[in-house]
Amino acid sequence: MMAAVAAAEKGHQVDLYDSNEKLGKKLYITGKGRCNLTNAVDIGDYFDSIVHNHSFMYSALYSYTNADFMAFLEKHGVPLKTERGDRVFPASDKSSDVISGFKAALKHNCCRVYLNTRIIDLLITNNIVNGIVLENGDMQSYDAVILATGGKSYPSTGSDGNFFQILEKNGHQITPLSPGLVPINTKEDWPRDLQGLALKNVVLTLYKKTPKGQKKVKSMLGEMLFTHFGISGPLVLSLSSYMVGNTKDYCLELDLKPALSSDQMDARIQRDFLKYQNKDFGNALGDLLPSKMIPVMVDLSGINPAVKVNQITKEQRKKLVACFKQLRIGIAGLRDFNEAIITVGGVNVKEVDPGTMESKKIKNLYIAGEMLDVDALTGGYNIQIAVSTGWLAGNAVK
Ligand SMILES: Cc1cc2nc3c(=O)[nH]c(=O)nc-3n(C[C@H](O)[C@H](O)[C@H](O)COP(=O)(O)OP(=O)(O)OC[C@H]3O[C@@H](n4cnc5c(N)ncnc54)[C@H](O)[C@@H]3O)c2cc1C
Protein backbone atom coordinates (compact mmCIF):
# COMPACT_ATOMS: atom_id res chain seq x y z
CA MET A 1 0.00 0.00 0.00
CA MET A 2 2.83 2.40 0.83
CA ALA A 3 4.66 1.48 -2.39
CA ALA A 4 1.50 2.13 -4.41
CA VAL A 5 0.97 5.53 -2.79
CA ALA A 6 4.63 6.54 -3.27
CA ALA A 7 4.62 5.56 -6.96
CA ALA A 8 1.32 7.37 -7.55
CA GLU A 9 2.62 10.49 -5.79
CA LYS A 10 5.45 10.49 -8.35
CA GLY A 11 2.85 10.72 -11.09
CA HIS A 12 2.58 7.07 -12.14
CA GLN A 13 -0.72 5.30 -12.78
CA VAL A 14 -0.77 2.49 -10.21
CA ASP A 15 -2.76 -0.75 -10.00
CA LEU A 16 -2.65 -2.54 -6.63
CA TYR A 17 -3.48 -6.26 -6.51
CA ASP A 18 -4.23 -8.31 -3.40
CA SER A 19 -5.39 -11.92 -3.37
CA ASN A 20 -7.49 -11.18 -0.27
CA GLU A 21 -11.03 -9.88 -0.23
CA LYS A 22 -9.88 -6.76 1.65
CA LEU A 23 -6.73 -4.71 2.14
CA GLY A 24 -4.41 -5.01 5.15
CA LYS A 25 -5.57 -8.35 6.51
CA LYS A 26 -2.29 -8.87 8.40
CA LEU A 27 -2.10 -5.24 9.54
CA TYR A 28 -5.54 -5.76 11.08
CA ILE A 29 -4.24 -8.36 13.55
CA THR A 30 -0.98 -6.59 14.40
CA GLY A 31 -0.29 -5.41 17.93
CA LYS A 32 -3.16 -7.56 19.22
CA GLY A 33 -5.57 -5.56 17.04
CA ARG A 34 -4.08 -2.20 18.06
CA CYS A 35 -1.28 -2.09 15.42
CA ASN A 36 2.06 -1.04 16.86
CA LEU A 37 2.82 0.72 13.59
CA THR A 38 6.27 2.11 14.30
CA ASN A 39 8.69 3.02 17.05
CA ALA A 40 9.41 6.64 17.97
CA VAL A 41 13.09 6.15 18.95
CA ASP A 42 15.71 8.02 16.98
CA ILE A 43 15.94 6.33 13.59
CA GLY A 44 19.66 5.77 14.25
CA ASP A 45 18.68 3.44 17.12
CA TYR A 46 16.62 1.19 14.84
CA PHE A 47 19.59 -0.82 13.68
CA ASP A 48 20.11 -2.44 17.12
CA SER A 49 16.61 -3.91 16.85
CA ILE A 50 17.03 -5.32 13.34
CA VAL A 51 18.11 -8.93 13.72
CA HIS A 52 19.21 -9.77 10.17
CA ASN A 53 20.82 -7.52 7.53
CA HIS A 54 20.43 -4.21 9.31
CA SER A 55 22.99 -2.48 7.06
CA PHE A 56 20.75 -3.14 4.03
CA MET A 57 18.16 -0.88 5.71
CA TYR A 58 20.22 2.37 5.99
CA SER A 59 18.92 3.99 2.79
CA ALA A 60 15.31 2.94 3.31
CA LEU A 61 15.09 4.01 6.96
CA TYR A 62 16.85 7.34 6.45
CA SER A 63 14.88 8.08 3.24
CA TYR A 64 11.53 7.33 4.83
CA THR A 65 11.73 7.62 8.60
CA ASN A 66 9.35 6.81 11.45
CA ALA A 67 8.56 10.56 11.62
CA ASP A 68 7.64 10.51 7.91
CA PHE A 69 5.32 7.54 8.43
CA MET A 70 3.65 9.13 11.46
CA ALA A 71 3.13 12.40 9.54
CA PHE A 72 1.69 10.39 6.60
CA LEU A 73 -0.89 8.68 8.81
CA GLU A 74 -1.86 11.86 10.64
CA LYS A 75 -2.28 13.63 7.28
CA HIS A 76 -4.65 10.84 6.21
CA GLY A 77 -6.83 11.10 9.29
CA VAL A 78 -5.17 8.76 11.82
CA PRO A 79 -4.21 10.47 15.12
CA LEU A 80 -1.42 8.58 16.90
CA LYS A 81 -0.10 8.05 20.42
CA THR A 82 3.21 6.82 21.82
CA GLU A 83 3.33 4.29 24.63
CA ARG A 84 5.92 2.54 26.81
CA GLY A 85 9.06 1.60 24.90
CA ASP A 86 8.34 4.35 22.31
CA ARG A 87 5.79 2.09 20.63
CA VAL A 88 3.43 4.06 18.41
CA PHE A 89 -0.27 3.12 18.05
CA PRO A 90 -3.35 4.75 16.54
CA ALA A 91 -4.95 6.94 19.26
CA SER A 92 -8.14 4.88 18.86
CA ASP A 93 -6.29 1.58 19.62
CA LYS A 94 -7.86 0.26 16.41
CA SER A 95 -5.62 -1.21 13.69
CA SER A 96 -8.53 -0.69 11.27
CA ASP A 97 -7.83 3.07 11.48
CA VAL A 98 -4.33 2.51 10.07
CA ILE A 99 -5.83 0.55 7.18
CA SER A 100 -8.36 3.36 6.66
CA GLY A 101 -5.46 5.84 6.53
CA PHE A 102 -3.79 3.80 3.78
CA LYS A 103 -7.09 3.46 1.91
CA ALA A 104 -7.59 7.25 2.08
CA ALA A 105 -4.07 7.79 0.66
CA LEU A 106 -4.68 5.25 -2.14
CA LYS A 107 -7.94 6.97 -3.05
CA HIS A 108 -6.41 10.45 -2.86
CA ASN A 109 -3.73 9.33 -5.33
CA CYS A 110 -6.18 7.58 -7.67
CA CYS A 111 -4.64 4.10 -7.29
CA ARG A 112 -6.85 1.34 -8.71
CA VAL A 113 -7.30 -1.54 -6.25
CA TYR A 114 -8.03 -5.10 -7.43
CA LEU A 115 -9.08 -7.41 -4.61
CA ASN A 116 -9.55 -11.21 -4.77
CA THR A 117 -6.92 -11.11 -7.51
CA ARG A 118 -3.96 -13.41 -7.15
CA ILE A 119 -0.82 -12.92 -9.23
CA ILE A 120 0.68 -16.25 -10.22
CA ASP A 121 3.64 -15.23 -12.38
CA LEU A 122 5.69 -12.41 -13.83
CA LEU A 123 6.14 -11.61 -17.51
CA ILE A 124 9.86 -11.23 -18.09
CA THR A 125 11.74 -10.68 -21.35
CA ASN A 126 15.54 -10.40 -21.45
CA ASN A 127 15.65 -9.98 -17.68
CA ILE A 128 13.22 -7.04 -17.81
CA VAL A 129 9.80 -7.42 -16.21
CA ASN A 130 6.96 -6.16 -18.38
CA GLY A 131 3.84 -7.50 -16.73
CA ILE A 132 2.06 -10.02 -14.55
CA VAL A 133 -0.06 -13.14 -14.96
CA LEU A 134 -3.25 -13.40 -12.93
CA GLU A 135 -4.76 -16.60 -11.56
CA ASN A 136 -7.55 -16.53 -14.18
CA GLY A 137 -4.87 -16.57 -16.90
CA ASP A 138 -5.14 -12.87 -17.80
CA MET A 139 -1.88 -11.15 -18.60
CA GLN A 140 -1.42 -7.47 -17.78
CA SER A 141 1.38 -5.31 -19.15
CA TYR A 142 3.18 -2.87 -16.86
CA ASP A 143 6.30 -0.69 -17.11
CA ALA A 144 7.31 -1.71 -13.58
CA VAL A 145 6.21 -4.19 -10.90
CA ILE A 146 6.66 -3.80 -7.13
CA LEU A 147 6.33 -7.03 -5.16
CA ALA A 148 5.30 -6.80 -1.51
CA THR A 149 3.65 -10.17 -0.97
CA GLY A 150 4.98 -10.64 2.59
CA GLY A 151 6.64 -13.60 4.28
CA LYS A 152 5.20 -16.99 5.28
CA SER A 153 3.90 -16.35 8.76
CA TYR A 154 0.18 -16.38 9.58
CA PRO A 155 -0.58 -17.68 6.07
CA SER A 156 -4.32 -17.24 6.68
CA THR A 157 -3.73 -13.48 6.28
CA GLY A 158 -2.71 -13.99 2.63
CA SER A 159 1.07 -13.97 2.99
CA ASP A 160 1.74 -17.65 2.42
CA GLY A 161 5.14 -17.35 0.74
CA ASN A 162 3.82 -18.21 -2.73
CA PHE A 163 5.99 -15.62 -4.47
CA PHE A 164 9.30 -16.98 -3.19
CA GLN A 165 9.07 -19.90 -5.63
CA ILE A 166 8.24 -17.56 -8.52
CA LEU A 167 11.28 -15.43 -7.75
CA GLU A 168 13.49 -18.50 -7.32
CA LYS A 169 12.37 -19.76 -10.72
CA ASN A 170 13.44 -16.41 -12.15
CA GLY A 171 16.94 -16.51 -10.74
CA HIS A 172 16.64 -14.96 -7.26
CA GLN A 173 18.13 -16.69 -4.26
CA ILE A 174 15.81 -17.15 -1.30
CA THR A 175 17.70 -17.58 1.97
CA PRO A 176 16.31 -20.35 4.25
CA LEU A 177 12.90 -19.40 5.65
CA SER A 178 12.12 -20.02 9.28
CA PRO A 179 9.53 -18.78 11.79
CA GLY A 180 10.70 -15.71 13.75
CA LEU A 181 9.33 -14.01 16.87
CA VAL A 182 7.77 -17.35 17.69
CA PRO A 183 7.25 -19.44 20.87
CA ILE A 184 9.48 -22.42 21.62
CA ASN A 185 8.77 -26.10 22.31
CA THR A 186 10.97 -27.25 25.16
CA LYS A 187 12.70 -30.60 25.60
CA GLU A 188 11.93 -30.75 29.30
CA ASP A 189 8.47 -31.30 30.74
CA TRP A 190 8.84 -28.99 33.73
CA PRO A 191 8.03 -25.76 31.79
CA ARG A 192 4.69 -27.34 30.85
CA ASP A 193 3.95 -27.94 34.57
CA LEU A 194 4.24 -24.16 35.01
CA GLN A 195 1.70 -23.38 32.28
CA GLY A 196 0.23 -19.89 32.74
CA LEU A 197 3.05 -18.58 34.96
CA ALA A 198 4.68 -15.32 33.81
CA LEU A 199 8.10 -14.27 35.09
CA LYS A 200 9.18 -10.62 35.07
CA ASN A 201 12.70 -9.17 35.20
CA VAL A 202 14.46 -12.42 34.38
CA VAL A 203 17.40 -12.84 32.02
CA LEU A 204 17.24 -15.42 29.27
CA THR A 205 20.42 -16.27 27.36
CA LEU A 206 20.63 -18.12 24.06
CA TYR A 207 23.66 -20.36 23.48
CA LYS A 208 24.77 -22.11 20.32
CA LYS A 209 26.53 -25.44 20.68
CA THR A 210 30.00 -25.46 19.07
CA PRO A 211 32.61 -28.25 18.70
CA LYS A 212 34.51 -26.61 21.59
CA GLY A 213 31.50 -26.19 23.88
CA GLN A 214 29.01 -23.39 23.50
CA LYS A 215 28.94 -19.78 22.36
CA LYS A 216 26.70 -17.06 23.79
CA VAL A 217 24.45 -15.66 21.04
CA LYS A 218 22.28 -13.15 22.88
CA SER A 219 21.18 -12.32 26.40
CA MET A 220 18.04 -10.33 27.23
CA LEU A 221 16.26 -9.03 30.34
CA GLY A 222 12.46 -9.00 30.44
CA GLU A 223 9.34 -11.09 30.71
CA MET A 224 8.61 -14.69 29.75
CA LEU A 225 5.69 -17.05 29.97
CA PHE A 226 5.31 -20.81 30.48
CA THR A 227 2.78 -22.56 28.23
CA HIS A 228 1.31 -25.99 27.52
CA PHE A 229 4.08 -26.64 24.96
CA GLY A 230 7.02 -24.84 26.54
CA ILE A 231 7.81 -21.14 26.65
CA SER A 232 6.64 -17.88 25.13
CA GLY A 233 6.45 -14.17 26.03
CA PRO A 234 8.52 -11.20 24.84
CA LEU A 235 11.97 -12.58 25.80
CA VAL A 236 11.36 -15.94 24.14
CA LEU A 237 9.91 -14.44 20.95
CA SER A 238 12.89 -12.09 20.59
CA LEU A 239 15.50 -14.80 21.14
CA SER A 240 13.76 -17.15 18.68
CA SER A 241 14.68 -14.78 15.84
CA TYR A 242 18.39 -15.27 16.57
CA MET A 243 18.26 -19.02 15.91
CA VAL A 244 19.36 -19.84 12.41
CA GLY A 245 19.77 -23.34 10.98
CA ASN A 246 19.06 -26.32 13.20
CA THR A 247 17.31 -25.20 16.37
CA LYS A 248 18.56 -28.36 18.10
CA ASP A 249 22.01 -26.71 18.12
CA TYR A 250 20.77 -24.11 20.57
CA CYS A 251 19.85 -24.05 24.23
CA LEU A 252 18.64 -21.47 26.70
CA GLU A 253 19.73 -20.55 30.19
CA LEU A 254 17.40 -18.76 32.59
CA ASP A 255 18.62 -16.45 35.35
CA LEU A 256 15.73 -16.00 37.77
CA LYS A 257 17.58 -13.45 39.91
CA PRO A 258 19.71 -11.31 37.58
CA ALA A 259 20.17 -8.57 40.19
CA LEU A 260 22.17 -10.98 42.39
CA SER A 261 25.56 -12.56 41.66
CA SER A 262 25.88 -16.30 42.44
CA ASP A 263 27.60 -15.45 45.75
CA GLN A 264 24.85 -12.98 46.65
CA MET A 265 22.24 -15.59 45.70
CA ASP A 266 23.93 -18.11 47.98
CA ALA A 267 23.97 -15.57 50.82
CA ARG A 268 20.29 -14.81 50.22
CA ILE A 269 19.40 -18.53 50.35
CA GLN A 270 21.39 -18.95 53.55
CA ARG A 271 19.48 -16.02 55.10
CA ASP A 272 16.16 -17.63 54.19
CA PHE A 273 17.34 -21.02 55.46
CA LEU A 274 18.21 -19.38 58.79
CA LYS A 275 14.79 -17.73 58.91
CA TYR A 276 13.09 -21.05 58.19
CA GLN A 277 15.63 -23.30 59.97
CA ASN A 278 13.03 -25.66 61.41
CA LYS A 279 11.05 -25.99 58.19
CA ASP A 280 11.27 -28.68 55.54
CA PHE A 281 13.15 -27.63 52.38
CA GLY A 282 9.90 -27.86 50.36
CA ASN A 283 8.41 -25.11 52.56
CA ALA A 284 11.41 -22.77 52.70
CA LEU A 285 11.50 -21.15 49.26
CA GLY A 286 8.34 -19.03 49.53
CA ASP A 287 10.26 -15.72 49.77
CA LEU A 288 12.24 -16.45 46.63
CA LEU A 289 9.81 -17.97 44.16
CA PRO A 290 6.19 -17.82 43.04
CA SER A 291 4.36 -20.69 44.76
CA LYS A 292 3.69 -22.52 41.47
CA MET A 293 7.39 -22.72 40.83
CA ILE A 294 8.45 -24.13 44.21
CA PRO A 295 7.74 -27.86 43.57
CA VAL A 296 9.50 -27.60 40.19
CA MET A 297 12.61 -25.97 41.68
CA VAL A 298 12.66 -28.47 44.54
CA ASP A 299 12.59 -31.24 41.96
CA LEU A 300 15.28 -29.67 39.78
CA SER A 301 17.56 -29.11 42.78
CA GLY A 302 17.52 -32.83 43.57
CA ILE A 303 17.16 -32.03 47.29
CA ASN A 304 14.63 -34.07 49.27
CA PRO A 305 11.69 -31.70 50.00
CA ALA A 306 11.19 -33.36 53.41
CA VAL A 307 14.70 -32.62 54.64
CA LYS A 308 15.07 -29.84 57.26
CA VAL A 309 16.83 -26.81 55.77
CA ASN A 310 19.53 -26.82 58.47
CA GLN A 311 20.61 -30.25 57.19
CA ILE A 312 21.21 -29.09 53.60
CA THR A 313 24.89 -29.31 52.66
CA LYS A 314 26.98 -26.60 51.02
CA GLU A 315 27.23 -28.78 47.91
CA GLN A 316 23.42 -29.10 47.70
CA ARG A 317 23.06 -25.35 48.18
CA LYS A 318 25.49 -24.75 45.33
CA LYS A 319 23.29 -26.81 43.07
CA LEU A 320 20.26 -24.82 44.19
CA VAL A 321 22.07 -21.56 43.40
CA ALA A 322 22.76 -22.91 39.89
CA CYS A 323 19.03 -23.63 39.49
CA PHE A 324 18.28 -19.99 40.24
CA LYS A 325 21.10 -18.51 38.17
CA GLN A 326 21.71 -20.96 35.30
CA LEU A 327 18.58 -22.96 34.71
CA ARG A 328 18.97 -24.91 31.48
CA ILE A 329 16.08 -25.07 29.02
CA GLY A 330 16.50 -27.46 26.10
CA ILE A 331 14.93 -26.47 22.77
CA ALA A 332 12.93 -29.17 20.98
CA GLY A 333 12.01 -26.77 18.16
CA LEU A 334 10.26 -23.56 17.23
CA ARG A 335 6.49 -23.37 16.88
CA ASP A 336 5.46 -23.16 13.22
CA PHE A 337 4.69 -20.32 10.79
CA ASN A 338 1.04 -20.27 11.94
CA GLU A 339 2.24 -18.76 15.22
CA ALA A 340 5.22 -16.73 13.98
CA ILE A 341 4.99 -12.93 13.97
CA ILE A 342 7.68 -12.69 11.31
CA THR A 343 9.54 -14.75 8.73
CA VAL A 344 13.31 -15.02 9.08
CA GLY A 345 14.98 -15.31 5.66
CA GLY A 346 13.64 -14.26 2.28
CA VAL A 347 14.93 -12.62 -0.88
CA ASN A 348 18.71 -12.40 -0.61
CA VAL A 349 19.40 -8.70 -0.01
CA LYS A 350 22.64 -8.91 -2.00
CA GLU A 351 20.43 -9.22 -5.08
CA VAL A 352 18.43 -6.05 -4.33
CA ASP A 353 19.67 -2.45 -4.66
CA PRO A 354 19.37 -0.98 -1.13
CA GLY A 355 18.92 2.55 -2.54
CA THR A 356 15.95 1.71 -4.77
CA MET A 357 14.75 -1.82 -3.86
CA GLU A 358 15.15 -2.75 -7.51
CA SER A 359 16.09 -6.34 -8.21
CA LYS A 360 19.63 -6.72 -9.51
CA LYS A 361 18.47 -9.79 -11.47
CA ILE A 362 15.31 -8.46 -13.15
CA LYS A 363 15.11 -4.84 -14.31
CA ASN A 364 12.04 -2.75 -13.36
CA LEU A 365 11.12 -5.29 -10.67
CA TYR A 366 11.16 -3.91 -7.11
CA ILE A 367 10.93 -5.97 -3.92
CA ALA A 368 9.74 -4.57 -0.58
CA GLY A 369 8.58 -5.54 2.90
CA GLU A 370 8.78 -8.86 4.68
CA MET A 371 9.70 -10.71 1.47
CA LEU A 372 13.23 -9.41 1.97
CA ASP A 373 15.70 -11.22 4.20
CA VAL A 374 15.36 -8.52 6.88
CA ASP A 375 13.57 -8.88 10.20
CA ALA A 376 13.44 -7.01 13.48
CA LEU A 377 12.37 -7.43 17.08
CA THR A 378 8.90 -6.45 18.29
CA GLY A 379 8.21 -2.76 18.93
CA GLY A 380 6.85 -1.50 15.60
CA TYR A 381 10.10 -2.02 13.68
CA ASN A 382 8.77 -4.60 11.21
CA ILE A 383 5.94 -2.44 9.90
CA GLN A 384 8.37 0.49 9.62
CA ILE A 385 10.71 -1.75 7.59
CA ALA A 386 7.79 -2.66 5.30
CA VAL A 387 6.71 0.96 4.76
CA SER A 388 10.24 2.36 4.39
CA THR A 389 11.22 -0.23 1.77
CA GLY A 390 7.79 0.15 0.12
CA TRP A 391 8.14 3.92 -0.07
CA LEU A 392 11.68 3.66 -1.47
CA ALA A 393 10.52 1.20 -4.15
CA GLY A 394 7.51 3.33 -5.15
CA ASN A 395 9.59 6.46 -5.23
CA ALA A 396 12.31 4.81 -7.33
CA VAL A 397 10.07 3.58 -10.15
CA LYS A 398 11.24 5.26 -13.36
C1 LIG B 1 0.07 -11.64 14.77
C2 LIG B 1 1.03 -10.62 14.21
C3 LIG B 1 1.23 -9.43 14.91
C4 LIG B 1 2.12 -8.48 14.40
N1 LIG B 1 2.25 -7.30 15.09
C5 LIG B 1 3.11 -6.36 14.61
C6 LIG B 1 3.19 -5.09 15.25
O1 LIG B 1 2.43 -4.76 16.18
N2 LIG B 1 4.14 -4.22 14.79
C7 LIG B 1 4.97 -4.51 13.72
O2 LIG B 1 5.81 -3.68 13.36
N3 LIG B 1 4.85 -5.70 13.06
C8 LIG B 1 3.94 -6.60 13.46
N4 LIG B 1 3.80 -7.79 12.78
C9 LIG B 1 4.61 -8.00 11.54
C10 LIG B 1 4.00 -7.18 10.38
O3 LIG B 1 2.61 -7.40 10.32
C11 LIG B 1 4.62 -7.57 9.03
O4 LIG B 1 6.01 -7.51 9.12
C12 LIG B 1 4.12 -6.65 7.93
O5 LIG B 1 2.72 -6.74 7.79
C13 LIG B 1 4.78 -7.00 6.58
O6 LIG B 1 4.20 -6.21 5.59
P1 LIG B 1 4.24 -6.66 4.05
O7 LIG B 1 3.46 -5.61 3.32
O8 LIG B 1 5.60 -6.93 3.64
O9 LIG B 1 3.45 -8.04 4.00
P2 LIG B 1 1.95 -8.43 4.42
O10 LIG B 1 1.41 -7.47 5.44
O11 LIG B 1 2.01 -9.85 4.77
O12 LIG B 1 1.11 -8.21 3.08
C14 LIG B 1 1.31 -8.99 1.94
C15 LIG B 1 0.06 -8.95 1.09
O13 LIG B 1 0.34 -9.59 -0.17
C16 LIG B 1 -0.80 -10.32 -0.55
N5 LIG B 1 -0.36 -11.39 -1.45
C17 LIG B 1 0.47 -12.43 -1.18
N6 LIG B 1 0.67 -13.18 -2.29
C18 LIG B 1 -0.04 -12.58 -3.28
C19 LIG B 1 -0.24 -12.88 -4.67
N7 LIG B 1 0.37 -13.92 -5.23
N8 LIG B 1 -1.04 -12.09 -5.39
C20 LIG B 1 -1.67 -11.02 -4.84
N9 LIG B 1 -1.51 -10.69 -3.53
C21 LIG B 1 -0.71 -11.45 -2.77
C22 LIG B 1 -1.37 -10.86 0.75
O14 LIG B 1 -2.74 -11.16 0.61
C23 LIG B 1 -1.11 -9.71 1.72
O15 LIG B 1 -2.21 -8.84 1.82
C24 LIG B 1 2.87 -8.74 13.22
C25 LIG B 1 2.67 -9.93 12.53
C26 LIG B 1 1.75 -10.86 13.01
C27 LIG B 1 1.52 -12.12 12.23
Side-chain angles (χ1 to χ4, degrees), residues 17-20 22 24-27 29-32 35-38 117-120 148-151 153-154 157-160 162-163 340-342 368-371 379-384 386:
Y17 293 88
D18 198 312
S19 47
N20 284 333
K22 55 187 174 195
K25 222 169 165 182
K26 183 170 275 178
L27 266 190
I29 60 163
T30 57
K32 299 197 168 95
C35 186
N36 175 199
L37 55 105
T38 190
T117 314
R118 194 177 183 81
I119 302 170
I120 57 158
T149 54
S153 59
Y154 274 67
T157 62
S159 32
D160 55 9
N162 64 87
F163 239 98
I341 288 176
I342 199 88
E370 204 179 314
M371 297 187 84
Y381 304 105
N382 285 302
I383 293 177
Q384 182 67 47

